[in-house]
């Protein structure tokens, strides 16, 4: 399948693959090619570029970093872990995301369903035999339904954005880390050390992450007895944990299983981040394939 990306760059070569360009679009059909710029024409995850959107992103992270405390996360996990909001299928949830835009993302202003399918189809092309990874890509952001009224209409800072451990020191690699100084946990002696309330090598399943769509979708998949492999659940729960998979922070908390799963997360991250371009996916064409994967790995209806 040939994918067209509407972007203004000239021909480039990435990972040994030649991309032909005619000033309006990049055309490729030999595997996934990382575009040079996001949908706004800037570098990916550039939090410093001058723009009205970037100012909003920084304000988002200030609020996020002040309010994501250990006690807050504990309360949210207890509240939403009950999964007593609604019953619906995975695909119904995908369709709900049509009206969701992530205010923390400096790279994307498309409806979330577009991003899910872009990511899934790009992975499907390069890893045709890993169907669990295709499905993981499709559902990894479904937890963003927490923004909708039927799920409590949580504020953006409690749903989206980069995630990080709470209950231990905030690493300097976390975006806009300066705002953690206003977080009540910042100078709490129980939480301000490298390991905090955890122990070295304890495993990420023992670590509380800042609350958001990642952890919520992980709880939904786990409690509804999904048969996705461990790596799939790991990707869902930690795909926004950029301090780990981009900067190598917090590796002292990982166990052996985490180390193995991290390899898949790093593969996934390339597609999750760099597929945020003007690729258009025919939803009706690919829908039967993803419905078959949902049937394979999930019950018909889930508790949310």
């Amino acid at each position: 399948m040939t994918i067209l990306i509407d972007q203004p760059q000239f021909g480039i070569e990435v990972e040994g693959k030649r991309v032909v360009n005619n000033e309006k679009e990049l055309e490729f059909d030999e595997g996934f090619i990382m575009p040079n710029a996001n949908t706004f024409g800037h570098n990916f995850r550039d939090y410093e570029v001058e723009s009205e959107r970037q100012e909003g992103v920084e304000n988002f992270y200030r609020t996020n970093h002040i309010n994501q405390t250990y006690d807050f996360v504990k309360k949210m996990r207890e509240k939403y872990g009950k999964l007593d909001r609604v019953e619906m299928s995975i695909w119904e949830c995908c369709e709900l995301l049509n009206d969701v835009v992530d205010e923390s993302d400096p790279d994307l202003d498309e409806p979330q369903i577009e991003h899910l399918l872009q990511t899934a189809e790009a992975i499907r092309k390069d890893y045709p035999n890993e169907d669990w990874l295709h499905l993981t890509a499709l559902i990894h952001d479904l937890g963003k339904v927490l923004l909708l009224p039927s799920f409590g209409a949580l504020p953006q800072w409690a749903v989206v954005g980069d995630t990080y451990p709470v209950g231990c020191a905030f690493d300097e690699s976390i975006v806009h880390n300066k705002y953690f100084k206003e977080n009540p946990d910042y100078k709490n002696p129980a939480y301000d050390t490298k390991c905090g309330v955890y122990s070295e090598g304890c495993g990420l399943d023992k670590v509380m992450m800042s609350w958001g769509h990642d952890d919520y979708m992980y709880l939904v998949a786990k409690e509804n007895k999904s048969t996705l492999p461990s790596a799939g659940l790991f990707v869902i729960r930690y795909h926004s944990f950029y301090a780990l998979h981009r900067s190598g922070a917090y590796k002292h908390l990982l166990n052996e299983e985490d180390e193995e799963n991290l390899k898949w997360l790093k593969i996934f991250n390339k597609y999750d981040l760099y597929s945020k371009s003007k690729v258009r996916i025919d939803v009706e064409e690919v829908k039967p394939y993803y419905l078959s994967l949902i049937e394979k790995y999930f019950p018909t209806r889930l508790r949310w």
Side-chain angles (χ1 to χ4, degrees):
M1 178 178 68
T2 296
I3 302 179
L4 301 180
I5 302 182
D6 182 15
Q7 293 196 42
Q9 286 80 34
F10 294 93
I12 58 173
E13 186 167 331
V14 181
E15 296 183 351
K17 299 172 183 176
R18 182 65 182 170
V19 182
V20 180
N21 177 262
N22 65 1
E23 291 188 350
K24 292 185 178 180
E25 61 192 24
L26 298 180
E27 180 176 338
F28 59 90
D29 54 13
E30 294 183 357
F32 180 72
I33 301 297
M34 293 188 293
N36 276 352
N38 62 25
T39 58
F40 300 99
H42 303 304
N43 292 332
F44 286 89
R45 290 181 63 79
D46 186 345
Y47 292 94
E48 305 302 326
V49 65
E50 299 274 342
S51 74
E52 181 178 348
R53 182 174 178 81
Q54 296 302 82
E55 182 179 353
V57 171
E58 180 165 355
N59 288 334
F60 161 87
Y61 275 110
R62 181 180 185 275
T63 307
N64 173 280
H65 291 352
I66 292 173
N67 290 286
Q68 289 277 1
T69 65
Y70 186 86
D71 286 343
F72 170 75
V73 172
K74 185 177 180 181
K75 290 176 182 177
M76 297 305 285
R77 290 194 104 238
E78 290 173 352
K79 179 179 180 179
Y80 282 92
K82 296 175 183 177
L83 302 181
D84 58 0
R85 295 276 165 173
V86 66
E87 285 193 9
M88 63 179 170
S89 68
I90 290 286
W91 193 264
E92 286 175 313
C93 190
C94 290
E95 292 178 333
L96 281 181
L97 256 63
N98 275 327
D99 297 325
V100 171
V101 174
D102 184 343
E103 292 178 2
S104 74
D105 194 336
D107 299 322
L108 188 69
D109 65 350
E110 301 290 339
Q112 292 297 308
I113 188 65
E114 292 281 336
H115 168 55
L116 298 182
L117 288 170
Q118 288 170 1
T119 306
E121 284 294 283
I123 291 177
R124 180 184 176 189
K125 182 175 181 61
D126 285 1
Y127 294 86
N129 298 321
E130 307 294 343
D131 67 355
W132 63 270
L133 192 57
H134 311 163
L135 181 59
T136 297
L138 178 72
I139 69 173
H140 75 283
D141 274 348
L142 291 190
K144 290 181 181 180
V145 293
L146 289 174
L147 294 167
L148 302 176
S150 57
F151 289 83
L154 290 181
Q156 289 260 340
W157 65 262
V159 179
V160 298
D162 288 18
T163 59
Y164 43 85
V166 293
C168 61
F170 300 112
D171 192 82
E172 292 184 357
S173 65
I174 301 171
V175 62
H176 293 307
N177 64 83
K178 61 186 177 183
Y179 294 120
F180 284 121
K181 293 179 180 180
E182 301 177 60
N183 185 301
D185 290 353
Y186 184 75
K187 293 184 178 180
N188 186 324
Y191 305 141
D192 67 354
T193 61
K194 183 178 180 180
C195 287
V197 299
Y198 314 113
S199 59
E200 192 160 339
C202 64
L204 288 182
D205 61 323
K206 303 290 196 303
V207 175
M208 292 245 282
M209 300 293 294
S210 56
W211 177 252
H213 71 280
D214 309 58
D215 210 18
Y216 176 60
M217 189 59 209
Y218 165 76
L219 291 174
V220 169
K222 182 181 178 183
E223 297 304 318
N224 281 283
K225 311 300 182 185
S226 169
T227 57
L228 283 173
S230 172
L233 296 177
F234 188 91
V235 167
I236 291 170
R237 193 177 192 186
Y238 303 112
H239 68 270
S240 300
F241 190 4
Y242 281 89
L244 170 66
H245 56 74
R246 297 275 286 183
S247 303
Y250 298 103
K251 293 195 74 172
H252 60 284
L253 298 175
L254 274 57
N255 59 25
E256 290 185 7
E257 184 177 10
D258 294 333
E259 292 282 3
E260 287 301 311
N261 287 336
L262 183 58
K263 298 174 184 177
W264 281 109
L265 179 55
K266 288 183 176 180
I267 290 172
F268 172 84
N269 174 249
K270 181 180 76 169
Y271 297 88
D272 183 25
L273 177 59
Y274 293 105
S275 63
K276 294 173 181 176
S277 53
K278 295 296 184 182
V279 178
R280 307 300 300 189
I281 303 295
D282 186 332
V283 177
E284 293 306 313
E285 179 181 347
V286 301
K287 182 177 178 179
Y289 174 70
Y290 289 102
L291 288 177
S292 71
L293 297 188
I294 292 169
E295 183 178 2
K296 179 178 178 180
Y297 290 104
F298 281 92
T300 302
R301 298 185 68 79
L302 286 70
R303 294 178 297 114
W304 300 78

